[in-house]
Amino acid sequence: FNEAAAQARQIAVFFERHVAGIFHYGDAYLKLVRREYVRNYDIAKIVHLMAEVPLNKSIASHITIIDENGTPLLVSGHEIKTGTTARDRDYFKFQKNAKLDELLVSRMHKGRNSGKLIVRLVRRFEKPNGTFGGVIFLALEASHITEFFNTMQVGPKSSATLVGKDKFVRSRSTYGPRGPGQNISGSQIWQRLEESPVGLYLQTSVVDDVTRYYAYREVPDLPLIVAIGLSVEDFQQTIATSRLSHYSIAFMATLLIAVTVLFFYRQQQLLAQIETKNDELEQRADEIERKNTELQNQNAELERFNYTVSHDLKAPLVTIKG
């Protein structure tokens, strides 16, 4: 048990950082699109922005903007189906009634446009007068969250699970006969979480009835928990191989974390560059307006000068003519 627990704990640490990287990237991109949209409510500018700072399709499939009536205004990469509305969707109702600007991580479901299992990251936006203006969400493909686990060769009956604090599964490396999006309120994990945000336990899964050594961790700043379950059967059969592959797993984990962090850092750089350019354009506009005002004042001064000179020249001319 100790060796299985140690391996599960190490993979869980990587999984937690992997999930945090994905969701923090998604939320940063979501905020970028929202900030640009609420400046002038121009969908064309959002399309242009997404061309300049493209969405990482290995993480998310699309961005959707929905107005206060539940009508989609933009579904990036897809045509909007006639009559589509989000008024009846839980994420729309939640954000419409929300008092604070908070990130909602929706339950897993099949996307209307993509047909794939997705998890939405949803934020609300407001009109200039402070009333509800609609929602913007980013669709994460559930398979991308846990696909790394299937490459680790820790056994066909082992699993990686991402679950929300509402006790519904958001993503899993294998869903078993009951299918995706299961409610796992019967799991030991909830009792363990009351004692500690990080821990270990042995349990027969409530999803697929496989007995596993589980290592779980809360994801900081997100309403999510990761759980790595190493099948007792798999572990007993592959314990020798597991020892040999330990360093390979650690190396891959470090590499993937580095790639995720690097990509997120690059996106933040691009965001900073866009904001700098916008500030420069605003400064230039203010400078042009100031110079126009100066030019108008100079023109008025020149007209007054011309009038004075003309008047002063006319007086002696009239005398000479007389």
Side-chain angles (χ1 to χ4, degrees):
F1 175 80
N2 290 337
E3 191 165 350
Q7 185 174 351
R9 187 187 294 112
Q10 288 175 342
I11 300 175
V13 169
F14 162 57
F15 188 25
E16 176 217 308
R17 294 175 183 174
H18 172 73
V19 167
I22 288 176
F23 278 75
H24 288 156
Y25 160 77
D27 193 30
Y29 197 95
L30 191 64
K31 289 178 179 178
L32 168 63
V33 172
R34 182 179 67 173
R35 182 162 48 246
E36 183 64 24
Y37 180 65
V38 298
R39 282 182 174 177
N40 45 37
Y41 300 92
D42 188 340
I43 294 295
K45 289 191 175 182
I46 299 303
V47 174
H48 179 70
L49 171 66
M50 294 186 68
E52 285 191 339
V53 187
L55 189 62
N56 184 350
K57 291 303 181 68
S58 68
I59 295 178
S61 63
H62 62 277
I63 282 273
T64 296
I65 300 177
I66 300 172
D67 69 12
E68 71 273 23
N69 300 313
T71 303
L73 305 176
L74 171 71
V75 182
S76 64
H78 300 278
E79 291 186 4
I80 299 175
K81 296 178 181 178
T82 303
T84 301
T85 180
R87 285 196 304 270
D88 59 332
R89 294 302 181 104
D90 290 340
Y91 67 86
F92 184 82
K93 294 177 181 177
F94 176 89
Q95 291 293 21
K96 185 174 183 178
N97 297 322
K99 302 301 181 183
L100 302 173
D101 176 23
E102 59 181 307
L103 178 68
L104 171 67
V105 180
S106 77
R107 294 180 186 176
M108 180 196 304
H109 75 285
K110 185 175 289 188
R112 287 175 173 172
N113 292 287
S114 66
K116 298 178 180 179
L117 291 174
I118 63 171
V119 176
R120 293 187 178 99
L121 303 187
V122 192
R123 283 194 178 272
R124 61 179 278 142
F125 63 88
E126 297 179 346
K127 296 180 179 179
N129 62 6
T131 60
F132 176 69
V135 302
I136 300 180
F137 73 74
L138 180 142
L140 298 176
E141 290 192 22
S143 61
H144 290 166
I145 299 172
T146 52
E147 65 183 356
F148 81 94
F149 185 78
N150 296 324
T151 68
M152 288 190 170
Q153 299 180 348
V154 292
K157 294 185 178 180
S158 296
S159 67
T161 304
L162 176 66
V163 61
K165 290 187 176 179
D166 60 357
K167 303 182 181 180
F168 281 85
V169 172
R170 296 308 197 266
S171 178
R172 202 169 189 269
S173 56
T174 175
Y175 294 111
R178 296 186 181 91
Q182 291 295 313
N183 181 331
I184 60 168
S185 55
S187 172
Q188 285 187 39
I189 193 171
W190 309 112
Q191 297 165 349
R192 302 281 180 167
L193 279 167
E194 292 179 359
E195 301 169 3
S196 173
V198 178
L200 300 161
Y201 61 94
L202 176 65
Q203 177 182 287
T204 298
S205 170
V206 298
V207 173
D208 55 15
D209 301 321
V210 175
T211 302
R212 298 185 177 94
Y213 303 105
Y214 285 95
Y216 70 88
R217 301 178 68 86
E218 287 189 5
V219 183
D221 304 319
L222 291 169
L224 302 168
I225 302 101
V226 300
I228 296 296
L230 298 186
S231 161
V232 172
E233 181 182 342
D234 288 345
F235 193 80
Q236 290 173 345
Q237 291 177 355
T238 62
I239 188 168
T241 305
S242 301
R243 290 171 178 167
L244 293 174
S245 63
H246 173 77
Y247 291 106
S248 298
I249 292 171
F251 173 76
M252 186 175 69
T254 302
L255 179 62
L256 286 175
I257 291 170
V259 169
T260 300
V261 171
L262 179 61
F263 187 85
F264 181 69
Y265 175 70
R266 177 57 180 157
Q267 291 294 337
Q268 291 295 90
Q269 282 186 318
L270 291 172
L271 172 59
Q273 290 173 5
I274 290 173
E275 291 181 340
T276 300
K277 288 181 179 179
N278 287 335
D279 291 341
E280 289 176 355
L281 289 174
E282 291 176 359
Q283 290 175 0
R284 290 179 183 175
D286 292 340
E287 181 67 15
I288 291 172
E289 184 177 353
R290 185 181 64 79
K291 289 184 177 180
N292 282 338
T293 301
E294 289 180 0
L295 184 59
Q296 290 173 0
N297 292 337
Q298 290 175 1
N299 285 337
E301 183 66 26
L302 184 59
E303 288 179 1
R304 288 193 295 271
F305 177 76
N306 287 338
Y307 175 80
T308 301
V309 171
S310 176
H311 180 270
D312 290 346
L313 286 175
K314 283 181 180 179
L317 288 173
V318 169
T319 302
I320 292 171
K321 184 177 179 180

